[in-house]
Amino acid sequence: MPKYDKSAKSDKPLYGHQAKKRFGQNFLSDDSIIANIVASIRPKANQHLVEIGPGQGAITASIIASGARLDVVELDNDLLPILKLHFGLKENFTLHHADALRFDYNALVDDEQPLRVVGNLPYNISTPLIFHLLEHCNNITDMHFMLQLEVVKRLAAQPDCKAYGRLTVMTQYYCDIEQLFIVPPTAFRPAPKVDSAIVRLVPHKQLPHVAKDVNLLEHVVSIAFQQRRKTLRNTLKKLCCEAFIVENGINPAARPENLTLAEYVTLANAIYDAKQQGRDITAP
Ligand code: SAH
């Protein structure tokens, strides 16, 4: 979660609303950045968008103006009157007072039109929220998010670097990921202490590597990264022995960050098959 820069002049409330840390509120206040974000999203009249955490409507207004159908999901009670005041009369706007982490996005799809999800996300819930949305991937065309730059780097990372981890592998399993541009703290009120960035996630129409059991893949990946500096022969000990790793064409002396998504899927599928066959793969 970003720390707040108490010296920033930008803490002044807008519309009398004092930003709340517990809701991760950093409101966008830079018009050119807002215009760049909307230009990256390119909403069109025949599309169906969902905005998570509209706040005081910084991005919301331009999306509504595009004529696209827009559903917004906002948790903070105090922001509802502001949103209703500005957009309540627009026909293409629907406000949901709900927790984005529990929201059923599939329920919004009522005309076979898939969703485009956008949001300057509350940073404290961005990782669980992305995992929640990945479960609705079949109904989502793309997602544009503002996140902490560090999280965007983790999403878009390639193997062999520090940023590459569980979040990278599981998100890239479902989506293509592209970092679009960096947004400085000065673009927000209040200003966070860290840089942010806009990221585009496009769910694969067809998964490039298919796990036989995605929960098992997630389990293997999370076990592997629990001790990221150890070799796979050690981190995976509970799941399988060194010989099994070798048998699947993977170097047991590699570290978790060296394995590609394809290799994680290969390994998880081999473990799945071995389980189906009742084969003991933990014994050397
Ligand atoms: N989009 C606005 C506000 C971003 S701040 C802007 O760019 O200015 C993050 C927003 O997410 C806030 O409005 C906050 O109240 C909202 N929020 C925080 N937690 C949420 C949750 N669990 N579900 C839905 N909205 C949430």
Side-chain angles (χ1 to χ4, degrees):
M1 188 153 70
K3 296 216 167 60
Y4 286 78
D5 182 354
K6 294 211 176 66
S7 65
K9 288 190 273 184
S10 52
D11 276 2
K12 271 187 267 154
L14 272 177
Y15 305 112
H17 178 86
Q18 189 69 51
K20 296 174 189 156
K21 289 183 197 182
R22 72 174 186 284
F23 288 137
Q25 291 178 350
N26 296 96
F27 299 112
L28 271 165
S29 59
D30 182 321
D31 288 341
S32 67
I33 301 266
I34 293 170
N36 282 346
I37 295 171
V38 178
S40 307
I41 300 170
R42 287 217 285 160
K44 301 224 177 74
N46 58 349
Q47 296 175 340
H48 187 175
L49 280 83
V50 181
E51 185 185 1
I52 295 170
Q56 299 167 326
I59 316 173
T60 320
S62 307
I63 298 175
I64 292 177
S66 75
R69 176 175 167 195
L70 178 67
D71 285 82
V72 302
V73 182
E74 175 57 63
L75 183 60
D76 184 357
N77 246 327
D78 295 345
L79 290 169
L80 306 182
I82 298 172
L83 290 164
K84 281 183 193 158
L85 176 72
H86 286 279
F87 313 116
L89 293 176
K90 306 279 181 189
E91 268 180 21
N92 53 338
F93 174 80
T94 311
L95 174 59
H96 303 267
H97 180 212
D99 181 349
L101 280 174
R102 291 160 204 266
F103 195 76
D104 179 9
Y105 298 89
N106 288 337
L108 294 179
V109 184
D110 52 16
D111 53 3
E112 304 211 351
Q113 169 87 292
L115 306 173
R116 303 190 66 204
V117 183
V118 305
N120 168 14
L121 293 191
Y123 294 163
N124 48 349
I125 61 160
S126 56
T127 305
L129 190 55
I130 289 172
F131 276 108
H132 180 59
L133 284 162
L134 292 176
E135 288 169 18
H136 297 80
C137 249
N138 288 343
N139 280 322
I140 296 177
T141 314
D142 59 15
M143 300 180 257
H144 289 81
F145 295 133
M146 169 95 74
L147 298 168
Q148 277 170 279
L149 175 59
E150 180 234 315
V151 176
V152 171
K153 287 200 166 138
R154 281 165 53 202
L155 291 173
Q158 295 301 312
D160 306 324
C161 71
K162 255 189 165 176
Y164 187 81
R166 169 176 169 256
L167 183 65
T168 320
V169 177
M170 291 318 298
T171 327
Q172 292 186 8
Y173 178 77
Y174 291 105
C175 302
D176 260 332
I177 297 170
E178 191 185 348
Q179 176 178 324
L180 298 184
F181 55 91
I182 293 178
V183 181
T186 49
F188 303 88
R189 294 177 189 200
K193 274 205 171 151
V194 293
D195 277 333
S196 304
I198 299 291
V199 66
R200 175 182 290 147
L201 291 85
V202 182
H204 301 299
K205 291 214 169 68
Q206 244 161 4
L207 295 176
H209 310 284
V210 182
K212 293 183 179 178
D213 176 351
V214 76
N215 293 325
L216 179 61
L217 171 69
E218 206 171 336
H219 183 60
V220 172
V221 172
S222 87
I223 296 263
F225 282 104
Q226 260 166 22
Q227 294 164 296
R228 55 180 305 138
R229 273 178 300 197
K230 292 205 172 168
T231 59
L232 290 169
R233 76 163 70 80
N234 281 315
T235 60
L236 296 178
K237 227 172 213 160
K238 271 185 261 166
L239 289 173
C240 61
C241 64
E242 177 167 354
F244 187 80
I245 299 176
V246 174
E247 190 184 308
N248 285 288
I250 294 163
N251 176 5
R255 315 219 173 239
E257 69 190 42
N258 305 127
L259 246 59
T260 60
L261 165 64
E263 287 173 316
Y264 274 113
V265 173
T266 300
L267 196 59
N269 285 349
I271 294 174
Y272 178 90
D273 289 341
K275 280 192 174 170
Q276 294 292 98
Q277 295 155 8
R279 181 179 156 202
D280 180 9
I281 52 173
T282 52

